[in-house]
Amino acid sequence: MSVAPALRHRAETAAAPLPPLLARAEHLAGTVLLGDHGRRRAGLGDDFWQYRPAQPGDSRRMIDHRRSARGDQQYVREREWQIAQSVMLWVDQGASMRFSSDKRTETKADRARLLALAVAILLVRGGERVGLTGTTLPPRRGNAQVHRLAEAWSRDAEADYAPPEHRAMIPHARALFVSDFLGDLKEVELALSKAADRGVRGVLMQVLDPAEESFPYRGRTLFESVGGTLRHETLKAGELRERYLIRLAERRDALMALTRATGWQLGLHHTGDSAQSALLWLWRALDGRVR
């Protein structure tokens, strides 16, 4: 009889962060105007989009005679393309994402989940289907899907670094991977190669803590991974700074080369910076408007 209350308590504890996360994501999504989204384009659909001057090759039945009668120019009535697309999301839930160098700065995991969920909210409002990479949560429309995403991202992984999920990639869909990308790059290469083979284009958003970018450590320092599997103590941390920054730059160059080769975009965001600016960049990048 004691199992049920204990199970309910664990479920309530796990679900407790969901309302604040959803509220923050809704608020953040509200700072981006849906009119800034670039999915409107000519094609099949029922809604009027625009008139444009007739061009060589347009058939006579495409001419809007009522609009053309207002002047000497012939005009074509174009309709808006309304085929909803699928966007697959992956947020790194590895232990390394739970790092924060300052109590006043949220963890990389919190910021990654916030950005991904805000993107999902905007996509759903725009009529798109959103879901997780893999097979656990296929893309769907609707606010209920946003809640499912928030619940899925509330669970942490035990391993220090979680590899990107690349199963069941939907051909010609879009994707967003959010991580610190400090783990094994071979896993990222595999995921993007599989995505490219299926015509999937997307965005890698690297989220780092400010200390991971500046390496402010001096003197005796104990470095330990969040998951506790890696540990290194040194008396002269300052002497490691140059080598560390070189390795970090090499990692970013490798990510840049990988995204260029596969047609993806690469973004960088620090948890100490504005989440709003990162969301706006992501919103544009997912439409391919960032180069």
Side-chain angles (χ1 to χ4, degrees), residues 88 130-140 145-150 152:
M88 296 170 293
V130 296
L132 297 176
T133 55
T135 60
T136 58
L137 190 59
R140 295 189 182 94
Q145 184 74 343
V146 174
H147 284 257
R148 296 186 192 104
L149 289 170

Side-chain angles (χ1 to χ4, degrees), residues 218-234:
R218 299 290 185 273
R220 183 174 183 176
T221 307
L222 174 63
F223 296 100
E224 186 174 15
S225 64
V226 178
T229 60
L230 301 173
R231 183 185 178 96
H232 176 71
E233 185 174 5
T234 179

